[in-house]
Amino acid sequence: MTSMQNLPERGDGSSQVRASDSNREQVAAMLGEAMATGQLSHDEYSERLDDLYTAKTLGELEVLTRDLQLGQERGPAPAPGGAPFSYAPASGTERDNVVAVFGGAHRKGNWRVRRRLFGTAVFGGIELDLSEAVFESREVEIRIFAVFGGVELRVPEGVEVRSEGSGIFGGFDVRGSSH
């Protein structure tokens, strides 16, 4: 377990400055990248994430990433296990919206998947094929609202999918994921 006791003082005195939610989100993204590139095991990632959310100062956050190779100067990070997907980090927090009302909406081929994507399918369907997409973030949140409609989501091999939901006059199903 990472120790938060007896942290070294930084020369500028910022190690004792209180950490913000934004600081924690940045460190969480760094830890996710480190796990995805194989620098951290799943257990190490979970342990550091627990420490992240109990950290109070910038110094405590710094301890969590000090031993990691991070940063965009290295270029796009390799996919875990050689999985066939691309990752191009972006600092923006923009989101995408996909809407299908009495019709269909499709996203496939080489397209940029933002960190957050929201979809609405009412008497229609949405098809999201991520197999050739470029991801802006190691973690992508896709939220879909479907009534009398449905969504088909295809992800590249090696991508972990966590899903929650229920169908309203429709179906809700995730295939090909062990999670």
Side-chain angles (χ1 to χ4, degrees):
M1 182 172 260
T2 306
S3 174
M4 297 287 178
Q5 305 290 323
N6 301 320
L7 296 172
E9 281 291 325
R10 292 174 54 174
D12 63 2
S14 67
S15 64
Q16 296 304 315
V17 173
R18 299 285 286 194
S20 69
D21 288 341
S22 176
N23 298 135
R24 287 183 190 85
E25 286 177 21
Q26 289 173 345
V27 172
M30 290 178 196
L31 294 174
E33 180 181 340
M35 183 179 76
T37 60
Q39 294 179 66
L40 293 175
S41 70
H42 190 327
D43 290 340
E44 291 169 320
Y45 170 76
S46 294
E47 181 179 297
R48 290 187 190 203
L49 210 55
D50 289 342
D51 290 344
L52 168 70
Y53 291 109
T54 61
K56 290 184 175 65
T57 66
L58 294 178
E60 292 172 329
L61 294 181
E62 183 182 4
V63 168
L64 300 173
T65 59
R66 183 178 296 148
D67 62 337
L68 303 175
Q69 296 178 27
L70 301 169
Q72 297 178 20
E73 67 278 356
R74 294 176 294 129
F85 63 89
S86 299
Y87 170 62
S91 59
T93 58
E94 296 179 31
R95 71 179 201 187
D96 265 340
N97 292 303
V98 179
V99 179
V101 179
F102 290 104
H106 308 278
R107 296 269 174 98
K108 52 183 154 183
N110 188 358
W111 63 288
R112 181 174 281 289
V113 180
R114 302 225 171 143
R115 187 168 192 261
R116 285 183 268 162
L117 187 146
F118 293 91
T120 303
V122 179
F123 291 101
I126 296 175
E127 177 186 355
L128 300 173
D129 185 346
L130 307 177
S131 57
E132 295 178 33
V134 176
F135 295 84
E136 284 188 352
S137 175
R138 287 281 174 200
E139 289 187 18
V140 173
E141 176 184 3
I142 299 174
R143 290 182 176 246
I144 304 291
F145 174 74
V147 177
F148 294 102
V151 176
E152 181 177 341
L153 176 64
R154 278 188 228 111
V155 298
E157 186 177 324
V159 171
E160 178 181 343
V161 176
R162 293 186 185 159
S163 65
E164 299 175 9
S166 58
I168 301 172
F169 292 105
F172 188 88
D173 190 22
V174 176
R175 296 177 191 205
S177 174
S178 60
H179 301 279

